[in-house]
PDB file of all heavy atoms in Angstrom:
ATOM      1  N   ALA F 173      45.321 -52.046 -50.598  1.00 98.00           N
ATOM      2  CA  ALA F 173      45.089 -52.094 -52.035  1.00 98.00           C
ATOM      3  C   ALA F 173      44.339 -53.378 -52.323  1.00 98.00           C
ATOM      4  O   ALA F 173      44.497 -54.369 -51.581  1.00 98.00           O
ATOM      5  CB  ALA F 173      46.415 -52.088 -52.784  1.00 98.00           C
ATOM      6  N   ILE F 174      43.525 -53.361 -53.371  1.00 98.00           N
ATOM      7  CA  ILE F 174      43.042 -54.644 -53.876  1.00 98.00           C
ATOM      8  C   ILE F 174      43.880 -54.912 -55.114  1.00 98.00           C
ATOM      9  O   ILE F 174      43.909 -54.106 -56.051  1.00 98.00           O
ATOM     10  CB  ILE F 174      41.537 -54.625 -54.163  1.00 98.00           C
ATOM     11  CG1 ILE F 174      40.828 -54.562 -52.801  1.00 98.00           C
ATOM     12  CG2 ILE F 174      41.138 -55.874 -54.959  1.00 98.00           C
ATOM     13  CD1 ILE F 174      39.386 -54.924 -52.795  1.00 98.00           C
ATOM     14  N   ALA F 175      44.610 -56.014 -55.053  1.00 98.00           N
ATOM     15  CA  ALA F 175      45.589 -56.272 -56.092  1.00 98.00           C
ATOM     16  C   ALA F 175      45.310 -57.592 -56.789  1.00 98.00           C
ATOM     17  O   ALA F 175      44.740 -58.527 -56.203  1.00 98.00           O
ATOM     18  CB  ALA F 175      46.987 -56.298 -55.479  1.00 98.00           C
ATOM     19  N   LEU F 176      45.702 -57.630 -58.038  1.00 98.00           N
ATOM     20  CA  LEU F 176      45.534 -58.830 -58.854  1.00 98.00           C
ATOM     21  C   LEU F 176      46.901 -59.500 -59.008  1.00 98.00           C
ATOM     22  O   LEU F 176      47.849 -58.868 -59.483  1.00 98.00           O
ATOM     23  CB  LEU F 176      44.975 -58.421 -60.227  1.00 98.00           C
ATOM     24  CG  LEU F 176      44.592 -59.539 -61.193  1.00 98.00           C
ATOM     25  CD1 LEU F 176      43.373 -60.297 -60.686  1.00 98.00           C
ATOM     26  CD2 LEU F 176      44.310 -58.978 -62.589  1.00 98.00           C
ATOM     27  N   PHE F 177      46.978 -60.751 -58.578  1.00 98.00           N
ATOM     28  CA  PHE F 177      48.236 -61.499 -58.677  1.00 98.00           C
ATOM     29  C   PHE F 177      48.002 -62.808 -59.423  1.00 98.00           C
ATOM     30  O   PHE F 177      46.879 -63.287 -59.531  1.00 98.00           O
ATOM     31  CB  PHE F 177      48.768 -61.861 -57.266  1.00 98.00           C
ATOM     32  CG  PHE F 177      49.077 -60.680 -56.389  1.00 98.00           C
ATOM     33  CD1 PHE F 177      48.750 -60.713 -55.036  1.00 98.00           C
ATOM     34  CD2 PHE F 177      49.699 -59.538 -56.899  1.00 98.00           C
ATOM     35  CE1 PHE F 177      49.046 -59.637 -54.200  1.00 98.00           C
ATOM     36  CE2 PHE F 177      49.994 -58.466 -56.062  1.00 98.00           C
ATOM     37  CZ  PHE F 177      49.663 -58.506 -54.718  1.00 98.00           C
ATOM     38  N   ARG F 178      49.118 -63.378 -59.877  1.00 98.00           N
ATOM     39  CA  ARG F 178      49.040 -64.688 -60.530  1.00 98.00           C
ATOM     40  C   ARG F 178      49.335 -65.758 -59.488  1.00 98.00           C
ATOM     41  O   ARG F 178      50.428 -65.804 -58.923  1.00 98.00           O
ATOM     42  CB  ARG F 178      50.040 -64.753 -61.698  1.00 98.00           C
ATOM     43  CG  ARG F 178      49.865 -65.981 -62.554  1.00 98.00           C
ATOM     44  CD  ARG F 178      50.588 -65.869 -63.891  1.00 98.00           C
ATOM     45  NE  ARG F 178      50.038 -64.822 -64.765  1.00 98.00           N
ATOM     46  CZ  ARG F 178      48.912 -64.929 -65.455  1.00 98.00           C
ATOM     47  NH1 ARG F 178      48.182 -66.031 -65.385  1.00 98.00           N
ATOM     48  NH2 ARG F 178      48.484 -63.929 -66.204  1.00 98.00           N
ATOM     49  N   THR F 179      48.325 -66.565 -59.207  1.00 98.00           N
ATOM     50  CA  THR F 179      48.524 -67.621 -58.217  1.00 98.00           C
ATOM     51  C   THR F 179      48.907 -68.931 -58.890  1.00 98.00           C
ATOM     52  O   THR F 179      49.371 -69.857 -58.233  1.00 98.00           O
ATOM     53  CB  THR F 179      47.263 -67.832 -57.362  1.00 98.00           C
ATOM     54  OG1 THR F 179      46.112 -67.809 -58.210  1.00 98.00           O
ATOM     55  CG2 THR F 179      47.124 -66.743 -56.314  1.00 98.00           C
ATOM     56  N   LYS F 180      48.674 -68.993 -60.194  1.00 97.00           N
ATOM     57  CA  LYS F 180      49.029 -70.222 -60.892  1.00 97.00           C
ATOM     58  C   LYS F 180      49.376 -69.860 -62.324  1.00 97.00           C
ATOM     59  O   LYS F 180      48.675 -69.050 -62.944  1.00 97.00           O
ATOM     60  CB  LYS F 180      47.820 -71.160 -60.878  1.00 97.00           C
ATOM     61  CG  LYS F 180      48.149 -72.609 -61.119  1.00 97.00           C
ATOM     62  CD  LYS F 180      46.944 -73.484 -60.768  1.00 97.00           C
ATOM     63  CE  LYS F 180      46.829 -74.635 -61.750  1.00 97.00           C
ATOM     64  NZ  LYS F 180      45.465 -75.132 -61.854  1.00 97.00           N
ATOM     65  N   VAL F 181      50.464 -70.437 -62.835  1.00 96.00           N
ATOM     66  CA  VAL F 181      50.810 -70.173 -64.229  1.00 96.00           C
ATOM     67  C   VAL F 181      50.205 -71.275 -65.077  1.00 96.00           C
ATOM     68  O   VAL F 181      50.537 -72.454 -64.921  1.00 96.00           O
ATOM     69  CB  VAL F 181      52.350 -70.151 -64.420  1.00 96.00           C
ATOM     70  CG1 VAL F 181      52.700 -69.893 -65.881  1.00 96.00           C
ATOM     71  CG2 VAL F 181      52.968 -69.090 -63.517  1.00 96.00           C
ATOM     72  N   VAL F 182      49.246 -70.902 -65.914  1.00 95.00           N
ATOM     73  CA  VAL F 182      48.617 -71.875 -66.810  1.00 95.00           C
ATOM     74  C   VAL F 182      49.105 -71.555 -68.226  1.00 95.00           C
ATOM     75  O   VAL F 182      48.710 -70.529 -68.782  1.00 95.00           O
ATOM     76  CB  VAL F 182      47.079 -71.790 -66.742  1.00 95.00           C
ATOM     77  CG1 VAL F 182      46.435 -72.931 -67.524  1.00 95.00           C
ATOM     78  CG2 VAL F 182      46.585 -71.774 -65.302  1.00 95.00           C
ATOM     79  N   PRO F 183      49.975 -72.374 -68.790  1.00 95.00           N
ATOM     80  CA  PRO F 183      50.555 -72.040 -70.091  1.00 95.00           C
ATOM     81  C   PRO F 183      49.480 -71.751 -71.143  1.00 95.00           C
ATOM     82  O   PRO F 183      48.473 -72.473 -71.216  1.00 95.00           O
ATOM     83  CB  PRO F 183      51.342 -73.318 -70.459  1.00 95.00           C
ATOM     84  CG  PRO F 183      51.590 -74.011 -69.162  1.00 95.00           C
ATOM     85  CD  PRO F 183      50.424 -73.672 -68.279  1.00 95.00           C
ATOM     86  N   ASP F 184      49.667 -70.675 -71.899  1.00 94.00           N
ATOM     87  CA  ASP F 184      48.770 -70.264 -72.980  1.00 94.00           C
ATOM     88  C   ASP F 184      47.370 -69.857 -72.513  1.00 94.00           C
ATOM     89  O   ASP F 184      46.479 -69.661 -73.330  1.00 94.00           O
ATOM     90  CB  ASP F 184      48.628 -71.376 -74.052  1.00 94.00           C
ATOM     91  CG  ASP F 184      49.975 -71.684 -74.690  1.00 94.00           C
ATOM     92  OD1 ASP F 184      50.787 -70.737 -74.813  1.00 94.00           O
ATOM     93  OD2 ASP F 184      50.210 -72.860 -75.032  1.00 94.00           O
TER      94      ASP F 184
END
Side-chain angles (χ1 to χ4, degrees):
Chain F
I174 290 197
L176 186 68
F177 299 140
R178 189 165 294 284
T179 43
K180 200 167 143 205
V181 179
V182 188
D184 299 327

